[in-house]
Amino acid sequence: MTMIQCISPVDGSVYAERQAMGFEEAAAVVDRARKAQRSWAKRPLEERVQLVLKGVARLNEMADEVVPELAWMMGRPIRYGGEFKGFNERSNYVASIAADALAPMVVEESASFERRIEREPHGVVFVIAPWNYPYMTAINTVAPALMAGNTVVIKHASQTLLVGERLVRAFVEAGVPEDVFVNLFLDHDTTSALIAAGKFSFINFTGSVEGGRSIERAAAGTFAGLGLELGGKDPGYVMEDADLDAAVDTLMDGATYNSGQCCCGIERIYVHESLYDQFVEKSVAWVSNYKLGNPLEQETTLGPMANKRFAKVVREQLSDAVSRGAKALVDPKLFPADDGGAYLAPQVLVDVDHSMSFMTEETFGPAVGIMKVKSDDEAISLMNDSKYGLTASLWTQDAERAGRIGREIETGTVFMNRADYLDPALCWTGVKETGRGGSLSVLGFHNLTRPKSYHLKKVTK
Ligand code: NAP
């Protein structure tokens, strides 16, 4: 039997462990979820929506436990209060559009015919969730999937081992029937074996590109629907007419908040030559204000990375870039808590280019590279020089120009004068190796249901 462990980045201790379930045991749980799905789907939509919202409310009541638990499991400072804002915003928004998003599309309703397309739940939806925003990434699928009449099985990341268990406990305590929403502790092989055995009707995987590839391979031939929300290397582009202070503030926050562990975090910034020097100077000052330290202490503003192996990747990319000519501008002496392990000082690199993995591979840490550009064309070509395509953040006062550039950029989302935010009314999606599918918005509901056509010819005398 395999034990799954969460090693805390706070002090390297084993914070939690759970036994991984074997195939037979896990398959029996999924089979029960499948059996429960029909009666769940028969309940009125409004009842399902309200039960999900009650589950969300119950989790909010657990905030005093959730916030330190997150700090222990993945290092986010307690001062940020967990991720309830986004968690609640997304849940409330999807609840508010559920009835319209799931309403039949009526083509004809006459004396001779009824023709319409209804939305049916897929059946059992499998959510495989990452540790970086463990509640927010999970709720993107859990809430609309349940509201739409699916049952949901969740497998959470080892790094945030207790999140799936807690989420399910909150929902069940709030009245969601057992078997309608269940948590599994699984290793990778059993996860893949369950998928390959056709146990799920739809799978939402949020995580790394490599993980996404494994899931796609496991699902091959089962015809299960797949949503793959994978990595990113999101750029910012600061044009000559940008509000400089706002750009520095939002882009640096986007690059470093949550120790840079955000799928849509800013990883590279292109700045028009007229603003470049000022932008760099202000960015270094902004980042230097962080207080790196123990996430359980109130004054800490930057916690450790979630695992020292993630910090190792960032350190290797940084030293490789520096060995190729990049310049690191943040003084390490300002961050005595940097221990060469999970506690990692933030960093800003200049004199970078796309021959460096730091500018092309996902860094997923509190470090960002800044390059000078002369024109929109140069910026567009650099932004598109990436195997990923999640978001791009454009800084200008000209919405028409942002729209024009946006149409040239290969990403799922184009921001103007903001970054690193999921708007639940818009579709969260990516292109290239960032994956496929889309969550949130009306389209998220459509992806969690299938169309069924009704073509009813009436008998007329
Ligand atoms: P990860 O290592 O791929 O893990 C994600 C989840 O998948 C975890 O539950 C993990 O379980 C599981 N998993 C990974 N490989 C698997 C396999 N071969 N078979 C079965 N299960 C597997 O990713 P992560 O490190 O948790 O998350 C960071 C990545 O997620 C970054 O690349 C980030 O950009 C991406 N992300 C993308 C989005 C988006 O919306 N596009 C949002 C958030 C994060 P274990 O933990 O047990 O290994």
Side-chain angles (χ1 to χ4, degrees), residues 3 56 139 141 143 150 202 351 395 407 432:
M3 265 302 182
V56 168
I139 204 67
T141 304
N150 299 284
F202 185 89
D351 296 347
W395 288 80
R407 282 185 283 281
K432 303 198 262 188

Side-chain angles (χ1 to χ4, degrees), residues 32-45 47-48 51 121 146 149-151 177-180:
R32 286 203 297 277
R34 187 164 296 282
K35 224 168 144 199
Q37 191 264 327
R38 280 185 174 269
S39 52
W40 175 245
K42 279 190 183 138
R43 293 194 183 203
L45 171 62
E47 197 178 311
R48 295 195 304 264
L51 279 170
L146 287 173
N150 299 284
T151 50
E178 282 182 35
D179 296 339
V180 164

Side-chain angles (χ1 to χ4, degrees), residues 240-263:
E240 70 287 349
D241 65 338
D243 177 334
L244 183 64
D245 288 332
V248 169
D249 193 47
T250 302
L251 291 174
M252 285 302 118
D253 184 66
T256 55
Y257 183 74
N258 207 34
S259 295
Q261 301 164 124
C262 179
C263 55

